[in-house]
Amino acid sequence: MTDLLTVTGDLVIPDAPPNPYGRFRDNPRAWLKSNLFGSTINGIVTVIFTVAFVYIMFRVLKYVFVSGRWDAVQGGLTSLMVGLNYPRDTSSLARVWIAVGLFAAVGGLATGAAHRSRASTWMNSARPWLPVLAIGALLASLTETLTPKLLAMAVVPVLVISAAVGAGLPERVTRRLWIVYGIGVAVAAYVLTGGELGAKEEWGGMLLALYVASFGIVLSFPLGLLLALGRRSRLPVVRSLSVIYIELIRGVPLITLLFAGDLALRFFLPAGNDPPGKIMRSIIMIVLFSAAYIAEIVRGGLQGVPRGQLEAAQSLALGPITTLRKVVLPQALRSVLPALVGQFISLFKDTTLLTIIGIREVIGVAENITSQREFRNQGYTPELLTFVGLLFWVCCYSMSKASRRLETRMGVGVR
Amino acid sequence: MTSETQESSDVPIGDIQDSDLPDSDVSSTPMPRSDLVAEAVVAGGTGEPKIVMEHVDKWFGSFQALKDITLTIGLQEVVVVIGPSGSGKSTLIRCINRLEIHDKGRIVVGGVELTRDPRSVSTVRKQVGMVFQQFNLFPHLSVIDNITLGLRNVRRIAKKPAQEMAMRQLERVQIAEQAKKFPGQLSGGQQQRVAIARALAMEPDVMLFDEPTSALDPEMVKEVLEAMRELAGSGMTMVVVTHEMGFAREVADRVVFMADGQIVEVGTPDYFFVGAREARTRRFLSQIL
């Protein structure tokens, strides 16, 4: 270590303290010995886990590439995506593809804009998209005809181009990009529904799950917010109504509410009014259910805002609404963002319960496929459920990734 | 406020008897007590009353935090309120902008009496700025956004002029270069100066300071006191709760000594620090000076 001496030789740079993680970088053998075989017990644990890991990986890979029979998934792919009864004519299917393209463009734009403002590597910015791309590639590989394969592949250039555009936009535009996102999502919704409000009863599969979940999230959040504020209200009537609502809903399983919405909602409507469609009824129930949980999450955030913040706002003569909007809610919601996203993820997964009241969403479609004549009694259920699980995992993982980014973004300057 | 009530029992101010103190001090203050009360009512500054408190009582549950407070503060007057913990100093100034609601008596600020009517509260709060012990800056907003929040939402000033006004106030407290930072990135002294700028930007007639230096490291106290001294020199009406006796002696027009929720004694700093008449006052001063 003579190079610690400087050229003049009169100054010795003190030896840096050894980095406990870096010291084995050049010596894999020492690393192995210290980390995996440090003692007899460590050695035994290492051997056992290595064997177990290799065995599990072998079984998984063998299942995926050799023994798994994916032809049922392949044959029912369209049904799994958009539902059994979705019209199969070109214009109806084109609607779905246009919506997919629009979402990809919006997502790419957002990624690009965020990348620009964070000055990280492109690899880092693209990371949340990797599982989505992987599943896209998987879906493209499973299609039986050429057109969807090409369309699925076309999503990649859409993503890349919109990300590049997003990264190139000037600051004053990126600050107003949410308008573009809103328009993009609205146009996608318009294209999908053909301008009618609400889901069409022929929808099913992943399309329905995503539709119900986005509706549920968008509607249950404001309702939950109002309930949380109501529970903290000084007016006894408002407060007790909020408490009763929250405790009542939280004490009942979602499935009960879904049945109630399916069977009992019509009794509460004035005579002559037709109840909304089955899908809308279940959306209403999911919203009512989720709002109660969101209310409690938000209430926790509201309680975490120090009293001094309110007093500072009051001493500036800010009105109660402005105080709430500009001082209390930004702080309260930031602190509960992880819990909120957790609730949204569980709402999304709860959409699978719709099968039980006879709506053919993804699980329902999967069940239907395995009961079709060509696949019946041949044990196709594991393959279909694996595929469905993978679809849900990708969506939930993306949501949690997006929330992590939002957290870092909102945490600017706060320690 | 619960902390104040607890601390009050730890400090047995009321137990000290006049006989505990040397006689000479008592005889050196010949003014009779009735004059003292009269003095407490008369305002300093320009003489025109800005804040009038008459027979104000305040209860927290069964604990009486303020007992029959009568005090008039004149326009452009600087009043420093001192006293032991739990004596009601903070409660007193928090009643002036109705962060606490008084239970009895009248409080009139700039000719407007504080009542249940939210308009009266809002009118008074627009005239009165406040600086807190814990700064209470909004942590999710940058320094400049902390200041423009009130300007834009209360005084309805457009974004550009609001930012210019904010920058002027930041320059006044010599912290303009930190405008883009967030409160969490500043030192305590810098945060407190931002808090002062935030209150000043609303162009109040009265500034309330609730122990503005008590949460600061010693080396940062000076920069905050400097800003307050500059403010006092500009003719602002100020009510300051503080333990900084040097500041009180130098800047105050009058000093108010409180104990057990009552105003014990009011006087000019010269009178106060040299010849305070009340035994409790002398006892308190001897403990901290």
Side-chain angles (χ1 to χ4, degrees), chain A residues 272-292:
Chain A
N273 286 28
D274 277 337
K278 195 164 181 141
I279 292 176
M280 280 319 276
R281 291 204 299 269
S282 50
I283 289 180
I284 292 171
M285 281 328 203
I286 286 180
V287 166
L288 294 181
F289 178 78
S290 186

Side-chain angles (χ1 to χ4, degrees), chain B residues 129-131 196 199-200 204-209 231 236-239:
Chain B
M130 186 158 191
V131 175
I196 293 173
L200 286 180
D205 302 334
V206 179
M207 283 285 283
L208 307 175
F209 290 85
L231 191 60
M236 175 66 75
T237 309
M238 289 165 65
V239 187

Side-chain angles (χ1 to χ4, degrees), chain B residues 19 69-70 92 114 126 139 161 245 261:
Chain B
S19 54
I69 299 288
T70 294
L92 175 85
L114 281 167
K126 281 177 194 163
M245 291 304 144

